[in-house]
Amino acid sequence: MSERLGPLERLDDRWVIGDPQRQGGAYLEFGAEGAHHRVTASKGQFVPWSRFMTLRLLVTTGRWSSSKTFGVLTALRPGVVPASGSGLRATLRHPYEDWTAPFSHHDRCYTWSEVLLAGELLRQTVEAGAAQRLGDPRWLEDAVGQLSPLRARTYRAARAAVAQLRKA
C-alpha cells in the first residue's frame, strides 16, 4: 500500500499535501471537517469541506517550481500557478470566493503520472459533492493505494482511472 501520490502523502495518521517538515514551509492537512492550510509558525486557515465547489492541484514534477527563478517567471504570467510554484486553487461557497493555498514542494520529484492522478482525485471527488471523503484517512489510503501503481500518461487516462476508482 502506497503512502503517497505526488505531493499528497500520509504522515503518521493524517494526510497532507506539501512538505510540513520543510523549514518555513507551507502545507495542507486534510481532516474530518475540512482542509487546514498551515504555514510554519502560524495558525493558518481552515476551510470546511462543505465550502469546496472546485479543487485543482497546481504543481510541477520538479522542486525547481519553488525556486526564486520560477517565482519571477510566474510573475510574468500571474494567476497560472501560485508564486511558490505549488498550490491548490479552489472555488468556495458561502461566500463565493477564489481561494489559493500554496504549499512547499518536497525535495523529491513527482512523476507526471502522480501529478495527473492526484489532481484528478482531488478534482473529481470535490466536483462529485464528496469533498468530505478527502478527510477520511481510510478512504484516502485505499484510493492512493489503488492509484499509485498506475502510470497514467494523459489527462484522459487519469480521468478514467479516478472515475473507475470512484465507481467501485
Side-chain angles (χ1 to χ4, degrees):
M1 207 44 74
S2 181
E3 302 271 315
R4 67 180 185 217
L5 185 63
L8 174 65
E9 72 176 351
R10 189 162 107 179
L11 190 64
D12 300 322
D13 60 342
R14 60 198 169 120
W15 284 88
V16 299
I17 290 186
D19 189 355
Q21 296 161 345
R22 179 179 302 280
Q23 185 174 359
Y27 64 99
L28 289 103
E29 184 176 338
F30 290 172
E33 301 300 317
H36 201 141
H37 182 234
R38 298 183 187 273
V39 180
T40 305
S42 78
K43 289 186 177 186
Q45 178 187 17
F46 176 77
V47 179
W49 293 123
S50 62
R51 291 200 62 206
F52 284 93
M53 294 173 60
T54 64
L55 186 59
R56 301 280 188 270
L57 176 66
L58 306 169
V59 65
T60 60
T61 56
R63 187 169 171 255
W64 72 275
S65 66
S66 295
S67 70
K68 288 182 183 178
T69 303
F70 189 79
V72 170
L73 293 175
T74 57
L76 299 174
R77 293 193 62 202
V80 177
V81 179
S84 71
S86 302
L88 290 179
R89 174 170 291 151
T91 302
L92 305 176
R93 63 172 63 94
H94 308 302
Y96 291 105
E97 65 180 293
D98 290 325
W99 180 73
T100 303
F103 61 83
S104 300
H105 199 291
H106 292 87
D107 284 334
R108 70 177 185 272
C109 290
Y110 314 134
T111 68
W112 177 243
S113 180
E114 289 174 325
V115 169
L116 288 175
L117 291 166
E120 273 303 304
L121 177 63
L122 298 174
R123 186 188 70 77
Q124 285 187 35
T125 303
V126 169
E127 289 181 3
Q132 72 282 357
R133 290 197 131 199
L134 297 173
D136 179 348
R138 289 185 183 160
W139 182 84
L140 211 45
E141 179 180 11
D142 186 48
V144 168
Q146 290 181 49
L147 293 174
S148 61
L150 304 178
R151 296 295 167 246
R153 303 280 186 234
T154 64
Y155 289 105
R156 185 180 195 173
R159 275 192 302 273
V162 173
Q164 183 65 33
L165 167 84
R166 290 188 50 253
K167 284 182 185 177

